[in-house]
């Protein structure tokens, strides 16, 4: 019995000993990190839902465009996963009116922007991009389009292919502008 009593006494002593106190700063840092991780998970879930349209969200959440977050935080500069051209991007030469050629069959984006509209058909396709400088550019007479609506597009990225000629129609403030003006604005 003495052994059991001694064991109970040791257990009571261990329970009554004062535990080391956590540092308040460590606890605050832990809670901040958990909050940031929760916000990241929520943002990624909203992005995934917006892309795949899994769940219909209320109008207030649905109107919020997460792509606009890129204008506040330029994510493409944070990571080194950008496409880098091996050679210089060909420049567009004016053939007539809004018809251009660049010496290849590849369509290259003029400026950073977001895809507004993609129209695909069997004969010819087109893509409309709102550039970060406010110019809306429509690339037409394309054979293939490699992008989807609401996708972020970097400068000099390949948009698709064309045969013969490519039509480029830049518009600023509901007025047609020249290709040179679209690049300067």
């Amino acid at each position: 019995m003495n052994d059991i009593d001694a064991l109970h006494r040791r257990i009571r002593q261990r329970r009554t000993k004062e535990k080391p106190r956590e540092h308040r700063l460590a606890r605050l840092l832990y809670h901040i990190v958990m909050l940031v991780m929760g916000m990241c998970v929520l943002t990624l879930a909203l992005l995934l839902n917006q892309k795949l349209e899994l769940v219909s969200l209320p109008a207030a959440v649905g109107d919020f465009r997460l792509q606009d977050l890129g204008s506040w935080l330029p994510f493409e500069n944070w990571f080194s996963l950008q496409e880098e051209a091996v050679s210089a991007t060909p420049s567009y030469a004016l053939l007539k009116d809004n018809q251009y050629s660049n010496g290849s069959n590849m369509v290259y984006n003029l400026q950073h922007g977001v895809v507004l509209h993609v129209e695909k058909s069997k004969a010819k396709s087109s893509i409309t991009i709102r550039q970060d400088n406010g110019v809306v550019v429509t690339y037409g007479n394309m054979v293939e389009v490699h992008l989807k609506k609401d996708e972020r597009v970097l400068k000099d990225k390949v948009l698709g292919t064309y045969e013969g000629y490519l039509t480029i129609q830049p518009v600023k403030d509901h007025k047609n502008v020249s290709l040179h003006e679209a690049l300067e604005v």
Side-chain angles (χ1 to χ4, degrees):
M1 255 347 220
N2 286 340
D3 293 334
I4 293 176
D5 289 337
L7 181 64
H8 286 295
R9 224 176 321 160
R10 282 193 309 214
I11 291 173
R12 274 192 304 263
Q13 286 175 351
R14 286 186 184 167
R15 287 183 182 165
T16 58
K17 279 187 181 178
E18 193 170 313
K19 296 178 183 175
R21 298 181 77 189
E22 286 186 27
H23 295 287
R24 288 182 180 159
L25 183 61
R27 187 173 37 208
L28 176 68
L29 182 63
Y30 171 79
H31 289 295
I32 289 173
V33 168
M34 289 295 123
L35 180 66
V36 169
M37 286 176 51
M39 289 172 35
C40 289
V41 167
L42 180 64
T43 303
L44 289 173
L46 286 172
L47 282 170
L48 183 65
N49 184 50
Q50 189 174 21
K51 200 68 157 174
L52 299 177
E53 298 176 4
L54 299 172
V55 178
S56 61
L57 297 173
V61 177
D63 291 340
F64 179 69
R65 288 271 184 221
L66 292 173
Q67 284 80 10
D68 296 338
L69 186 63
S71 63
W72 303 330
L73 302 170
F75 291 119
E76 49 284 326
N77 295 334
W78 290 9
F79 305 104
S80 62
L81 299 175
Q82 297 178 4
E83 294 180 10
E84 296 180 16
V86 177
S87 62
T89 305
S91 61
Y92 290 104
L94 179 64
L95 300 175
K96 64 178 182 176
D97 297 330
N98 288 330
Q99 297 178 0
Y100 293 88
S101 177
N102 62 8
S104 73
N105 69 337
M106 305 298 275
V107 180
Y108 294 95
N109 191 27
L110 298 172
Q111 295 286 337
H112 300 303
V114 177
V115 177
L116 293 178
H117 179 71
V118 176
E119 184 178 324
K120 294 182 181 181
S121 67
K122 293 180 181 178
K124 298 296 176 188
S125 300
S126 68
I127 186 167
T128 304
I129 298 176
R130 179 181 41 104
Q131 297 177 356
D132 290 347
N133 61 7
V135 177
V136 177
V137 180
T138 302
Y139 301 88
N141 198 40
M142 296 173 63
V143 177
E144 292 179 17
V145 176
H146 302 304
L147 299 173
K148 297 176 186 169
K149 184 180 178 189
D150 295 329
E151 191 172 340
R152 178 90 173 134
V153 185
L154 300 177
K155 181 180 179 180
D156 298 333
K157 176 161 172 79
V158 175
L159 305 176
T161 60
Y162 72 96
E163 289 179 5
Y165 67 90
L166 171 72
T167 61
I168 302 176
Q169 182 61 50
V171 176
K172 174 76 173 180
D173 298 327
H174 304 291
K175 296 178 183 175
N176 293 340
V177 294
S178 70
L179 189 62
H180 185 2
E181 291 175 77
L183 294 174
E184 287 181 353
V185 175

